[in-house]
Amino acid sequence: QLSPDGAWAAAIIASPPELVLYPTGAGSPVRLAGGHLTRLISAEWFPDNRTLLVCGAEASSVPRCYRQEMAGATPTPVTDEGELATLAPNGTTLLITRADGSFHVRSIDGGTPRALPALTPGDRVVGWSRDSQRVYVQHGSEAPAAVERIDLATGMRTVVRTLASASFGSRVNVIVADWIDDGRWYAYNYSTVPSILFAVTGASPR
């Protein structure tokens, strides 16, 4: 993910687990070793361009998320074990996914999480609105893929775009990878299973 100022790109190296920050201009990469984390899952930038929300798991443990300074200080847990989170553009709101598939929202500084029944297991958050009041989700991976906007205060779900194109060919699934600036830009992956039909003559049935 690019930092808000566009100066850095955060990338996860799977093995050995390592978070690498690549400058988009002149400069050298900053390498943040996974340390106690044996698996890195995601990394998102805070608005200050110096801090990241890093989610991962320790050996023989369930995942959780941490606040990680670019300067390399010891990561600070911000979610309970078994909880993954995504950070709103305001840098203070966390949308938390628990192991049972339920969603909750709370401040990164603490407080009582508020359940979000409008988000259901199978929803995958692909982006935030600029005002941090709504999220965009894709449910499942079937094509055509519908992206819905969910108001976190009211729970209202609205389909904002359906991705369907003849260029997909024989579609298997479509995964929306990123949803930027309220859908002004977006990225997706799709997979296909090509097939060839043969006509066979002169074959003897058994």
Side-chain angles (χ1 to χ4, degrees):
Q1 188 185 66
L2 287 174
S3 59
D5 62 3
W8 296 91
I12 290 175
I13 308 299
S15 182
E18 187 177 36
L19 178 62
V20 183
L21 311 179
Y22 294 100
T24 57
S28 301
V30 175
R31 312 186 81 87
L32 299 174
H36 63 296
L37 298 179
T38 59
R39 180 165 61 100
L40 291 168
I41 298 172
S42 64
E44 299 179 64
W45 291 91
F46 281 79
D48 64 5
N49 301 296
R50 302 187 308 272
T51 314
L52 296 104
L53 178 72
V54 180
C55 299
E58 302 177 13
S60 303
S61 182
V62 293
R64 70 189 309 179
C65 298
Y66 302 80
R67 189 198 304 256
Q68 170 70 67
E69 299 294 331
M70 186 174 173
T74 302
T76 303
V78 295
T79 68
D80 293 335
E81 290 188 350
E83 294 182 343
L84 297 177
T86 181
L87 181 68
N90 61 18
T92 61
T93 303
L94 286 178
L95 179 63
I96 296 171
T97 307
R98 293 181 173 171
D100 61 3
S102 63
F103 291 84
H104 297 74
V105 64
R106 69 164 171 82
S107 168
I108 194 170
D109 297 320
T112 302
R114 176 169 59 89
L116 297 171
L119 280 87
T120 60
D123 283 338
R124 188 171 53 83
V125 178
V126 298
W128 284 85
S129 63
R130 284 173 289 182
D131 61 8
S132 301
Q133 300 300 310
R134 302 163 186 85
V135 292
Y136 296 91
V137 304
Q138 178 189 7
H139 189 87
S141 61
E142 295 80 10
V147 176
E148 297 178 88
R149 182 181 60 231
I150 300 179
D151 189 301
L152 298 181
T154 67
M156 179 179 293
R157 296 180 71 118
T158 305
V159 176
V160 294
R161 191 177 299 256
T162 300
L163 304 181
S165 170
S167 63
F168 288 165
S170 300
R171 298 183 294 272
V172 174
N173 57 41
V174 178
I175 300 294
V176 178
D178 207 353
W179 197 261
I180 303 167
D181 199 14
D182 289 334
R184 183 182 179 190
W185 308 95
Y186 58 90
Y188 62 86
N189 305 313
Y190 69 93
S191 61
T192 64
V193 178
S195 60
I196 300 175
L197 179 65
F198 294 92
V200 181
T201 58
S204 299
R206 293 183 177 179

